Amino acid sequence: MSTAASTPNAPASPILAHLADPQTAVVFDVDGVLALYEFGPLQHAAEVEGDWEAYVRANDPYAAVPPAPPIQRFVAAKDPAKVFACSVAADYEEPGKRDFVLRHYSIPAQNVIMVREKAEKIAALERIAQEQGLEHIQVALVEDTVKTLDAAAAAGFSTCHVSSFLAW
């Protein structure tokens, strides 16, 4: 682990220092992490009881949802080859999510990964570790879903709840 936590202007926590380490590959979830959950005008959801697929097809919600400025700053300071986005997406959600990530973050297009189920995120982390030649602990998942973080941690990956970025 890096000793960056003890240097001036360093991240405020050991996990943020680990994420900032040049060797660590960081994988961000999209909804609730890279994309703030602000789909509705004064609520977190646009269609609380509506048809999400119909809403997405008619409104392209990812065209208007805001990015997370602290994470934008983090991503901009990190080697782009070490930054990934991985999100669960149905086929109708993929284009909007992908375009959102590419528009707001300096993450290479080949590093934007869409999966159909949350369980597939662990397999995506495995592929990243293998392709990058990294130990599991050198691949970190930044998520807002604790169950997914727990699964990644159980598989030996570093994990970071998005709320840690409140200190960035």
Side-chain angles (χ1 to χ4, degrees):
M1 179 162 320
S2 168
T3 59
S6 64
T7 60
N9 301 319
S13 72
I15 187 61
L16 290 177
H18 179 66
L19 269 58
D21 186 300
Q23 298 304 310
T24 303
V26 184
V27 184
F28 291 95
D29 177 45
V30 176
D31 294 309
V33 177
L34 294 180
L36 300 182
Y37 244 121
E38 295 182 11
F39 294 111
L42 293 177
Q43 297 172 326
H44 70 285
E47 293 286 308
V48 176
E49 294 187 29
D51 180 347
W52 178 246
E53 180 177 353
Y55 181 81
V56 169
R57 291 186 187 280
N59 297 288
D60 188 15
Y62 294 95
V65 70
I71 297 177
Q72 283 179 311
R73 290 189 297 275
F74 175 88
V75 169
K78 185 94 174 153
D79 175 359
K82 294 288 188 184
V83 183
F84 299 80
C86 182
S87 184
V88 174
D91 62 340
Y92 62 87
E93 293 175 301
E94 277 191 37
K97 282 189 180 192
R98 184 175 304 282
D99 291 348
F100 168 83
V101 172
L102 297 176
R103 184 171 52 253
H104 292 292
Y105 296 91
S106 55
I107 298 175
Q110 68 271 18
N111 290 4
V112 180
I113 303 161
M114 298 294 163
V115 297
R116 293 292 184 245
E117 298 178 20
K118 283 195 178 279
E120 293 176 46
K121 285 189 173 185
I122 304 306
L125 297 175
E126 295 274 358
R127 282 192 309 275
I128 291 166
Q130 184 178 27
E131 290 169 4
Q132 296 268 324
L134 299 172
E135 299 294 324
H136 282 190
I137 201 69
Q138 294 175 291
V139 178
L141 177 63
V142 180
E143 256 281 355
D144 61 331
T145 304
V146 173
K147 186 175 180 179
T148 305
L149 288 168
D150 289 346
F157 295 100
S158 297
T159 56
C160 177
H161 190 274
V162 66
S163 63
S164 294
F165 276 86
L166 293 171
W168 186 262

